[in-house]
Amino acid sequence: MTMPAPPSPVHWRLNPEVYRLIGMRCKDCGHITYPRRKVCPKCGSFNTENHKLSKKGTVHTYCINYVLPPEIEPPAPIAIVDLEGGGKFQGLFTEVAKPEDVKIGAKVELVLRKILTSRGIAMYGYKVRLVEEG
Amino acid sequence: MESIRGKVAIIGVGMIPFGEHFEKSMEDMAQETYINCIKSVDKGIEPKKDIKAAWLGNLGRLFGAGAMSGSWLATQIGNTGIPITRIESGCPTGSDTLRHAIFGVASGMYDVVLALGAEKMREKPGTESLIALGTIGLGGHPSWTWGSTAPAMQAVYATRQMYELGYTMETFARVAVKNHHNGKLCPFAHYRYEVTIEDVLRSPMVCWPLHLLDCCPQTDGAAAVIVCRADLAKNYTDKPVYVLGTHVGLDHSFYWDKHNFIEMLATVRAANGAFDMAGIKREEVDFAEVHDCFTNTEVMNYEDIGFCKKGEGGPRLMEGYFDIDGPLPIQPSGGLKAHGHPIAATGISQICECFWQLREEAGDRQVKLKNGIALQHNVGGAGFGVSCVTITSRNP
Ligand SMILES: [Zn+2]
């Protein structure tokens, strides 16, 4: 099984991205991406800066996964979120009572949650939660 | 970009029936395929004298059986005296392998070369392969793969196609119905049975909105093609098939950078490049073999290749436009859906099908030819960021 291994250089290196949602904004074309990059993936500019992603957004598209890697319980909705202020986020939902509640255009927020345990170490990251309207 | 039109021909093809070959190793499959390919050359070929280089396609490492370099193929074909390069390029691995062989000949470097793709996917249980595919993009990304699998990577597109273009689960199911119908007619296909729209909609949900019968199977297989200088092709066969154009198009590997979820930019770019090289219009294509890893992907392909406008693919499919007896047959072989998708063998097997169809040797599944032009397409890799389109013809 090829699974992400938290006690690995990759996870340690990406600490600011994983816990503080630090992405990149291109000062030339305005593209926002995640994780950070030294070269803008859209236009190739070197003129980039750190950009903290918003934790609020709306569901751009989603799916509900029934055949999952170990430790993730089906049905698991996964969203691509359009974030306020630009940029996208892709993540698993949390606290969904019924998968049918997930809709394109639904307002969501990113919340820090345990994702899975690997080699005895708890792996945390951001999940997506529906925001109650009102 | 310079055209390769008129420079390169295909003089022989070979493959083995795709399926679950628990009794065969990847080595067995490659050797049988190679023998079939060499024997297919109408006027004969002396492989050790004539074949001057080869390219091997293999994704391998994800599925537990793979080749590390070209020397693996050298051993299988009993020829360590020529250069062989291994290519890995996501789901278009097979077609990109052939593209390198085509350029090897078009450059004037070699007169005759071999392209062979082999993949052993059933060495691992199905679920493990599925998850392995979903984790391809992990490289350097903090959260890309959490909960993701190959079907999930496409399902997010399917949901948006339904929302923006009005497609339904029935639209996607119609692709499975068409492709299984064709697969039943093809002796090389993994699945040789019909399905109905109801069968698809009643099959277990793998990743909403995609059911089990919306997904291509996991298949073992191998396929090979012999590529030759166009002006020498008639020494080997009276019916060569000519390469008019071949191009790889790219898009970003991660969904964070995508422009939308109803179009695959990689396919658009690969198709535009191949058509420019071929110097032909979309309407001149008689039939196509495209990448239906999932049923919704095929509908996207109709539009992204440019056979119709965005939003027209679904309605045309439902009218029977892409059926085997329709105006533009798509997947006479059964497609990935019924024929199978052994990654590195897939693209080359689609070219085998184009070769047989263009020579009118496809038996029960033979399509009607008008211009004698075929299109082959793959899309895949991390985030569906790579596509390859190759256009072939019975005329130079
Ligand atoms: Zn930029």
Side-chain angles (χ1 to χ4, degrees):
Chain A
M1 183 67 59
T2 320
M3 282 297 292
S8 71
V10 175
H11 200 72
W12 176 79
R13 194 163 59 231
L14 288 169
N15 184 307
E17 272 88 346
V18 172
Y19 300 109
R20 290 190 281 126
L21 290 172
I22 306 295
M24 174 221 89
R25 187 185 163 278
C26 175
K27 290 195 208 168
D28 287 336
C29 79
H31 185 61
I32 293 171
T33 192
Y34 178 82
R36 283 179 290 178
R37 302 197 180 278
K38 290 184 178 68
V39 179
C40 170
K42 189 171 178 192
C43 76
S45 167
F46 301 168
N47 194 14
T48 65
E49 61 185 0
N50 283 359
H51 173 86
K52 195 168 162 67
L53 298 181
S54 167
K55 290 184 190 170
K56 290 190 191 316
T58 53
V59 173
H60 181 82
T61 187
Y62 68 99
C63 62
I64 305 165
N65 205 351
Y66 288 83
V67 182
L68 285 149
E71 285 201 56
I72 300 174
E73 203 179 330
I78 297 171
I80 311 278
V81 177
D82 286 324
L83 297 172
E84 279 180 11
K88 289 188 175 67
F89 191 82
Q90 176 188 336
L92 285 158
F93 269 90
T94 185
E95 295 164 52
V96 175
K98 298 193 297 285
E100 307 87 83
D101 293 343
V102 178
K103 297 263 190 285
I104 287 176
K107 291 210 177 329
V108 293
E109 58 188 351
L110 307 186
V111 289
L112 194 67
R113 287 290 181 272
K114 188 177 145 192
I115 307 291
L116 46 82
T117 309
S118 179
R119 301 178 197 178
I121 293 178
M123 191 174 180
Y124 284 80
Y126 279 90
K127 286 192 174 184
V128 177
R129 180 167 71 182
L130 288 166
V131 174
E132 307 236 348
E133 304 272 358
Chain B
M1 191 162 54
E2 202 187 326
S3 175
I4 53 159
R5 188 165 179 170
K7 293 181 179 169
V8 182
I10 296 168
I11 55 168
V13 303
M15 56 184 289
I16 55 166
F18 284 4
E20 294 183 312
H21 294 309
F22 295 114
E23 77 290 0
K24 289 188 209 313
S25 65
M26 199 168 96
E27 288 76 10
D28 295 330
M29 297 195 304
Q31 289 170 40
E32 283 176 41
T33 294
Y34 173 66
I35 292 167
N36 292 343
C37 186
I38 295 299
K39 287 186 175 171
S40 77
V41 179
D42 295 327
K43 299 181 186 175
I45 185 166
E46 289 181 65
K48 285 198 79 164
K49 181 170 148 280
D50 294 350
I51 295 176
K52 294 293 198 286
W55 278 263
L56 163 68
N58 177 249
L59 201 66
R61 64 196 168 89
L62 286 163
F63 314 116
M68 187 178 275
S69 73
S71 66
W72 179 89
L73 182 59
T75 299
Q76 308 316 315
I77 65 172
N79 190 354
T80 50
I82 58 170
I84 305 181
T85 299
R86 171 179 168 264
I87 304 285
E88 177 182 334
S89 189
C91 288
T93 291
S95 38
D96 207 354
T97 300
L98 175 61
R99 177 172 159 270
H100 282 76
I102 290 167
F103 287 151
V105 171
S107 68
M109 190 63 74
Y110 308 109
D111 291 346
V112 181
V113 305
L114 172 76
L116 186 146
E119 211 74 71
K120 188 95 186 98
M121 297 186 74
R122 297 298 285 121
E123 213 80 336
K124 276 190 176 183
T127 317
E128 266 190 51
S129 295
L130 197 81
I131 293 164
L133 278 171
T135 60
I136 290 173
L138 181 64
H141 205 283
S143 58
W144 161 248
T145 57
W146 290 341
S148 194
T149 54
M153 287 167 60
Q154 261 306 300
V156 292
Y157 280 88
T159 306
R160 194 73 199 184
Q161 285 172 290
M162 290 163 69
Y163 178 81
E164 255 183 85
L165 307 173
Y167 296 166
T168 63
M169 290 183 186
E170 284 79 2
T171 315
F172 302 145
R174 182 62 173 76
V175 172
V177 172
K178 169 178 74 68
N179 295 355
H180 273 261
H181 174 78
N182 299 354
K184 195 182 175 186
L185 304 173
C186 177
F188 293 96
H190 185 168
Y191 288 160
R192 302 198 62 195
Y193 55 86
E194 305 257 1
V195 299
T196 63
I197 286 185
E198 295 70 38
D199 291 336
V200 178
L201 299 182
R202 273 202 307 263
S203 66
M205 195 61 84
V206 171
C207 187
W208 188 95
L210 299 175
H211 301 77
L212 183 63
L213 287 176
D214 286 303
C215 308
C216 70
Q218 283 160 355
T219 304
D220 298 326
V225 164
I226 302 172
V227 179
C228 174
R229 244 171 64 187
D231 58 333
L232 301 176
K234 291 274 169 84
N235 295 340
Y236 295 98
T237 174
D238 292 330
K239 289 159 68 182
V241 161
Y242 298 90
V243 179
L244 303 188
T246 183
H247 192 62
V248 158
L250 302 180
D251 189 14
H252 298 291
S253 288
F254 296 124
Y255 287 174
W256 278 257
D257 299 314
K258 295 287 180 188
H259 70 305
N260 71 34
F261 286 86
I262 56 167
E263 173 183 80
M264 296 205 166
L265 216 44
T267 295
V268 172
R269 287 170 168 158
N272 286 343
F275 276 103
D276 283 353
M277 219 185 249
I280 62 158
K281 296 192 181 73
R282 266 64 171 176
E283 306 85 80
E284 293 178 68
V285 173
D286 286 336
F287 70 95
E289 286 279 317
V290 305
H291 200 86
D292 56 327
C293 48
F294 300 94
T295 52
N296 71 298
T297 323
E298 180 169 319
V299 184
M300 212 160 7
N301 296 336
Y302 305 150
E303 302 159 344
D304 295 347
I305 291 168
F307 289 137
C308 57
K309 291 199 178 71
K310 192 55 69 185
E312 287 178 2
R316 284 207 187 180
L317 166 75
M318 299 311 273
E319 287 163 15
Y321 191 87
F322 304 114
D323 288 356
I324 196 154
D325 53 357
L328 178 59
I330 300 223
Q331 324 290 40
S333 75
L336 281 56
K337 181 67 198 74
H339 195 280
H341 183 23
I343 312 289
T346 301
I348 296 180
S349 76
Q350 292 170 308
I351 292 290
C352 294
E353 180 68 12
C354 294
F355 182 85
W356 289 320
Q357 291 281 354
L358 290 171
R359 287 163 49 116
E360 300 188 90
E361 296 169 348
D364 293 342
R365 64 185 194 286
Q366 180 63 48
V367 301
K368 281 203 190 67
L369 300 177
K370 203 170 87 191
N371 303 309
I373 296 177
L375 179 141
Q376 179 273 337
H377 159 263
N378 295 120
V379 62
F384 295 87
V386 57
S387 173
C388 185
V389 169
T390 299
I391 301 170
T392 49
S393 170
R394 61 182 172 185
N395 305 308

